[in-house]
Amino acid sequence: MADAPYVPPKVWSPDTVSGGRFATINRPTAGAREEKDLPVGEHPFQLYSLATPNGVKVTIMLEELLEAGHTGAEYDAWTISIGDGEQFTSGFVAVNPNSKIPALLDRSDPAAPFRVFESGAILVHLAEKFGMFLPTDPAARAEVLSWTFWQVASGPFMGGGFGHFYAYAPEKYEYPINRYAMETKRIFDVADQRLAQSRFLGGDEYTIADIANFPWLAPFVAGQIYNDANTFLAIHEYRNVARWVDEIAARPAVQRGRIVNKVWGDEDTQLRERHSVADFAGKRLEASKPE
């Protein structure tokens, strides 16, 4: 006998148990759950993050700035274990009231530090501060910002939508998997058609649009996210995206940025904390296998 269809109650209860991988930390309330200060290092930027796609955006950006010679972009990267709920400590909530990684503390002026949260906002802040990876020409700037925030808007469909229901939900349900598989493939098709027209998403130059999109699209291309999503979604169809992924993955700053705050996989591809370029010594940086 088939299970009865779910009928939502008139008023949803906050005590509802959702199940799944993040059931122990998901709650319908904001704010700190534990009093705990964040560590602070010596560099102008303090990053509190994890090497998920959204976190990797920022570490790639910082490494690219350092690669370009901007010593003022030196940073300390501290790992926030979201599985353990460290994003709900009082220190982290003070930097990001939304309790999501990444969160950045700009201490360029030690007398007046300030927070920047949301990955897209952090990329724009750093691009404007150092005058890199964001054009000043109004039309070119608009194009780059459009593709940057296209990713910010698209990420939830790929992660919280497709990724959750395909890989993390306690049970597989056809409707949400089909719904978000369709949207994820549409997103890839948008990118593929754009990259058939231009070398990079924003145009001829590498910009924050590429830095924002790469950590999300590259793992699908390499088959290293959400179990066998690469096969299930036939990601091999998007050849222009694959070409773009290969080019960006070969950049030294990208290779470094991708392992910062990484706490899974082979030990020599993890860098739980980053405080100087010396921390990369002995680490394996791969251009051909995006994480």
Side-chain angles (χ1 to χ4, degrees):
M1 182 177 178
D3 293 338
Y6 170 67
V7 178
K10 186 172 183 178
V11 178
W12 185 81
S13 170
D15 296 325
T16 300
V17 177
S18 63
R21 181 170 173 177
F22 301 103
T24 59
I25 60 170
N26 285 342
R27 296 180 190 174
T29 55
R33 303 175 189 173
E34 174 188 359
E35 292 295 321
K36 184 178 179 181
D37 294 333
L38 290 174
V40 178
E42 63 181 24
H43 293 309
F45 294 98
Q46 300 298 303
L47 178 66
Y48 305 97
S49 192
L50 189 67
T52 65
N54 285 333
V56 168
K57 294 178 194 176
V58 180
T59 49
I60 287 178
M61 181 66 172
L62 288 165
E63 291 296 331
E64 289 282 13
L65 291 168
L66 292 169
E67 183 82 5
H70 289 284
T71 57
E74 269 293 354
Y75 69 107
D76 296 284
W78 308 92
T79 294
I80 299 297
S81 176
I82 60 176
D84 296 329
E86 291 181 354
Q87 68 273 36
F88 299 110
T89 63
S90 58
F92 190 88
V93 171
V95 182
N96 184 355
N98 194 37
S99 292
K100 302 286 186 181
I101 62 93
L104 185 72
L105 190 61
D106 186 332
R107 294 171 52 87
S108 301
D109 178 358
F114 59 90
R115 70 188 185 189
V116 191
F117 60 92
E118 291 296 325
S119 58
I122 295 172
L123 292 183
V124 172
H125 171 65
L126 293 173
E128 292 181 337
K129 189 179 187 77
F130 292 99
M132 287 200 73
F133 307 120
L134 181 59
T136 56
D137 172 76
R141 177 184 173 87
E143 187 72 14
V144 169
L145 289 176
S146 294
W147 285 106
T148 300
F149 287 96
W150 172 75
Q151 186 286 311
V152 172
S154 300
F157 291 101
M158 302 172 76
F162 173 77
H164 176 79
F165 287 105
Y166 189 72
Y168 300 148
E171 298 179 37
K172 297 285 193 293
Y173 293 101
E174 181 178 6
Y175 174 77
I177 289 175
N178 286 345
R179 166 70 179 87
Y180 289 112
M182 185 178 300
E183 182 63 10
T184 300
K185 285 186 69 66
R186 192 192 67 80
I187 289 166
F188 264 86
D189 198 40
V190 171
D192 201 64
Q193 291 188 39
R194 170 59 175 169
L195 291 166
Q197 302 168 345
S198 62
R199 180 179 175 188
F200 296 107
L201 284 167
D204 294 331
E205 301 295 327
Y206 175 73
T207 66
I208 60 170
D210 304 291
I211 294 172
N213 280 275
F214 175 82
W216 275 102
L217 301 183
F220 281 91
V221 171
Q224 296 177 328
I225 196 170
Y226 306 138
N227 303 331
D228 62 345
N230 171 281
T231 300
F232 180 73
L233 297 174
I235 297 296
H236 68 275
E237 297 174 347
Y238 308 105
R239 296 181 180 179
N240 298 306
V241 173
R243 181 268 304 163
W244 170 84
V245 163
D246 287 345
E247 179 172 357
I248 295 176
R251 297 176 68 92
V254 172
Q255 293 174 33
R256 293 195 302 273
R258 297 180 79 181
I259 72 167
V260 176
N261 298 139
K262 185 167 176 257
V263 297
W264 53 84
D266 296 338
E267 187 69 29
D268 62 352
T269 67
Q270 299 179 23
L271 189 60
R272 292 172 179 260
E273 293 183 8
R274 186 268 187 214
H275 304 290
S276 78
V277 69
D279 294 333
F280 294 100
K283 297 298 179 180
R284 176 160 52 90
L285 307 177
E286 297 184 16
S288 59
K289 295 182 178 180
E291 293 292 343

